[in-house]
Amino acid sequence: MILRILRWAGLTFLAALTLLVASSCTMLGLNYASLETANKASPMPPLDFARLQTPDGRAEAMQMLEDTLYGPWPVGLPVSTGVWRMINPDYLDGKGTLEELDITIGQGPGARLFHLVAAFPKAAAHNPVVISQTFSSNCATFPGEAVTSQDGDPCTAGDNGPMVTFLVTHMFGEYISEAPVDRFFDAGLVYASFHAGDFIPDSEALAPKALAGLGAEVNPTSALMAWAYAYSAVIDAFEHDPRVDIHQTSVMGHSRHGKAALLATIWDPRIEAVVAHQSGFAGSALSRSQTGETLARMAKSYPHWLAPDAGKYAANPYLLPFDQHLLLALIAPRRLFLGNGRRDVWSDPNSSFRAAKAASAMWEVDGTPGLEQDSMRTFDSADGIVWWLRPGGHSIVDEDIEAFIAFLKARPTPSAASPPAELPTVAAPG
Ligand code: GCU
């Protein structure tokens, strides 16, 4: 009897240990994402594409996202901008200029200011623009440039120590912080970037107060929605800038900022294309998937990313009246790039592919290609949904940049006479 109990205790211990090791392997990027989708559940519930194409259907769907995971899009939250400051008139050996703009969101004592840094190719006139939101400070994104640091002074070597840069880039890829702006210039793009945490701090302790203090009638209640709104504020700043073609505006974000980029694209019809790289849970991964991080773990570690009552849906995603294929469908017919790493099981590439497949018909009803690829291994940068998988883990590496640029360049060029996105309009941005 005692032996039996001991054997069971031993087996239970071994099983728990295996689970623990397996889950931290996933976290450390040591597992491989499954490429098999046929044997997995289809996203539920199926989408009613005809309904989603109507203004009421679209409004209903957006309301569901707001009421459950993300809280309200802060319609009318004031945005004001300063005047562009020249940082470097001979940026990248004279290929362009580097400039900075103060953007304030909110009103009253809780209004929050952040710095947008933009690189304009020489003689930019009506160029497409890509707006990136980052984890890293602007000092790290534009190393060696005197952009404003988080303390309000121009960046110095001390703001972006070589040791930190070495560690971060070795863990998360060469381009996790520094932006390869010359590559975007070669593609004819204006490149704009800001540090999301300067607007709403990425902190469970600080974010709720910052959100509540923004001083509008409708404040955002989740950091993801607020960061999404910050993309919109940047678009406001470019709206009348002759260097930029506002009809060719793309947004880009990695991971938590990929989640925010997806939300921004849903709520702001001015966005024509979105790059959401490794956006994971609350992004392009299915909430009901139990592979990788899971929505429950995400909500536990980063409760401030979601609306205050989202915890109950995260704990039981079957309470949600939708899954993330709905979120993807709301982006159609604008172009969508979903980046993935085979070893980034944490962000669950497999369920992201299934979500993209289930949303694809939303593009097709508009007569544009959706996700044409049959397997997770192929990639066509010109599709409506471009689903990209490379080897490796949670990072931004050279191959990703190449794929992002191929996608951005493959966009159809809309003219001012034919605005990019014909969405049933439900809410005006800003
Ligand atoms: C954590 C988190 C993810 C998130 C990622 C990131 O890993 O669990 O949900 O996407 O951070 O933002 O890099």
Side-chain angles (χ1 to χ4, degrees), residues 135 254-256 259 278-279 293 298 302 305 346 394:
F135 303 81
H254 176 226
S255 212
R256 64 201 71 182
K259 308 178 207 284
Q278 303 182 318
S279 62
E293 179 177 22
M298 196 208 84
Y302 307 98
W305 290 358
W346 190 245
H394 196 70

Side-chain angles (χ1 to χ4, degrees), residues 168-417:
V168 170
T169 54
H170 276 77
M171 283 167 70
F172 297 112
E174 192 179 349
Y175 296 118
I176 192 68
S177 47
E178 178 171 357
V181 176
D182 49 345
R183 313 259 295 268
F184 290 95
F185 272 7
D186 290 346
L189 291 152
V190 171
Y191 187 87
S193 179
F194 65 100
H195 176 219
D198 288 351
F199 167 42
I200 297 297
D202 191 1
S203 146
E204 181 181 348
L206 303 178
K209 194 156 172 255
L211 293 168
L214 286 170
E217 226 166 89
V218 184
N219 290 325
T221 58
S222 69
L224 289 181
M225 207 52 141
W227 292 334
Y229 191 78
Y231 281 110
S232 257
V234 171
I235 301 173
D236 290 352
F238 280 128
E239 188 107 50
H240 301 294
D241 192 320
R243 295 171 295 183
V244 159
D245 178 359
I246 208 68
H247 297 304
Q248 295 198 61
T249 298
S250 318
V251 294
M252 181 160 88
H254 176 226
S255 212
R256 64 201 71 182
H257 302 302
K259 308 178 207 284
L262 292 170
L263 296 178
T265 311
I266 293 173
W267 267 272
D268 193 331
R270 296 171 298 180
I271 299 171
E272 184 226 350
V274 50
V275 173
H277 186 48
Q278 303 182 318
S279 62
F281 286 84
S284 70
L286 292 169
S287 299
R288 291 164 187 170
S289 168
Q290 288 304 307
T291 301
E293 179 177 22
T294 71
L295 192 63
R297 262 195 282 209
M298 196 208 84
K300 202 153 176 236
S301 308
Y302 307 98
H304 58 291
W305 290 358
L306 297 176
D309 291 334
K312 66 170 187 271
Y313 299 105
N316 179 5
Y318 286 90
L319 291 179
L320 283 168
F322 64 92
D323 209 332
Q324 298 303 94
H325 55 313
L326 173 71
L327 182 126
L328 301 185
L330 289 169
I331 287 170
R334 282 87 48 83
R335 298 190 62 238
L336 166 63
F337 177 105
L338 297 172
N340 297 274
R342 181 81 198 276
R343 284 185 184 240
D344 182 24
V345 181
W346 190 245
S347 77
D348 194 10
N350 188 291
S351 83
S352 160
F353 187 79
R354 284 181 284 134
K357 268 278 172 221
S360 177
M362 192 68 191
W363 275 257
E364 285 146 23
V365 287
D366 272 310
T368 56
L371 181 68
E372 302 274 281
Q373 68 201 69
D374 294 329
S375 93
M376 291 162 74
R377 284 187 190 276
T378 48
F379 157 73
D380 181 347
S381 61
D383 279 349
I385 307 180
V386 175
W387 198 91
W388 156 250
L389 180 72
R390 56 140 171 84
H394 196 70
S395 52
I396 311 180
V397 298
D398 202 58
E399 284 166 275
D400 297 322
I401 301 289
E402 233 169 81
F404 300 167
I405 291 178
F407 164 78
L408 293 170
K409 276 172 66 177
R411 60 145 67 87
T413 311
S415 67

